[in-house]
Amino acid sequence: KQEVTQIPAALSVPEGENLVLNCSFTDSAIYNLQWFRQDPGKGLTSLLLIQSSQREQTSGRLNASLDKSSGRSTLYIAASQPGDSATYLCAVRFLGAQKLVFGQGTRLTINP
Amino acid sequence: GAVVSQHPSRVICKSGTSVKIECRSLDFQATTMFWYRQFPKKSLMLMATSNEGSKATYEQGVEKDKFLINHASLTLSTLTVTSAHPEDSSFYICSALGGLAGGSYTDTQYFGPGTRLTVL
């Protein structure tokens, strides 16, 4: 079964720290992987999309990496700010499928 | 970028009534749309995949007679929750995939802002 797992479920760090969120998937045959942010009661905001052929993508203070062979992706957030507090979701589109399979999310709190 | 809208953003209804939620791709044609459900503090659960002009494909455990999906055009899909009950209260999110945007083909899923359904 194709599954996506995110650990930890929750993370709390002081402002200014660099941090890493983890995402793992059970099948290395993926089409792409996407990281989203979700604020409470709101929809999803796409942060980064990594195609199967890519190793990483960067946007501002965010950097996402992809290692298909080990079934892992990481989202690196540099110099964290209280405004980064949200739930971060990892989603994988596996080969041969159109749908996204979501991880359970990591609820991030940045303390001032 | 590509924009997906949902209407209404919030709806409260009485038990036993039906509620329709619309999902529109505003500036691109969506060959495929997806409907997700999200419980509080949980991740998104795919309910069904709809392709324009054909019947929706429902995920295991989702009642197709209760959650009616219609994808009548390349820019509109609707989800109707029939005979709603309090346990149907949830956050419903749609996404749209594919089609032409600004002359180029886009193969990314774009998400709507969600609809909060409360059934009393």
Side-chain angles (χ1 to χ4, degrees), chain A residues 6 31-32 34 36 38 40-44 46 49 51 89 93 98-105 107, chain B residues 10 31-32 34 36 38 41-44 46 49 51 59 91 93 97 107-109 111-114 116:
Chain A
Q6 290 183 250
Y31 186 83
N32 60 36
Q34 208 163 349
F36 295 89
Q38 186 176 33
K42 304 294 184 182
L44 303 183
S46 179
L49 170 69
Q51 299 292 351
L89 294 161
R93 180 178 171 182
Q98 291 182 312
K99 67 181 183 182
L100 291 178
V101 179
F102 280 84
Q104 304 93 322
R107 190 167 65 256
Chain B
R10 193 179 288 268
T31 54
T32 303
F34 304 85
Y36 296 84
Q38 187 177 32
K41 299 192 177 184
K42 298 292 185 182
S43 190
L44 277 71
L46 180 66
T49 302
N51 291 292
E59 295 296 301
F91 193 53
I93 303 177
L97 171 72
D107 195 23
T108 301
Q109 274 195 44
F111 283 79
R116 172 79 56 196

Side-chain angles (χ1 to χ4, degrees), chain A residues 39-105:
Chain A
D39 293 290
K42 304 294 184 182
L44 303 183
T45 300
S46 179
L47 298 174
L48 290 164
L49 170 69
I50 310 178
Q51 299 292 351
S52 175
S53 59
Q54 298 173 322
R55 295 298 299 268
E56 65 177 349
Q57 282 284 350
T58 298
S59 176
R61 294 183 293 108
L62 305 179
N63 175 275
S65 68
L66 174 64
D67 183 345
K68 282 191 305 180
S69 61
S70 66
R72 294 176 189 272
S73 175
T74 61
L75 178 66
Y76 175 83
I77 303 177
S80 58
Q81 304 170 358
D84 295 330
S85 298
T87 295
Y88 290 80
L89 294 161
C90 167
V92 175
R93 180 178 171 182
F94 292 98
L95 281 177
Q98 291 182 312
K99 67 181 183 182
L100 291 178
V101 179
F102 280 84
Q104 304 93 322

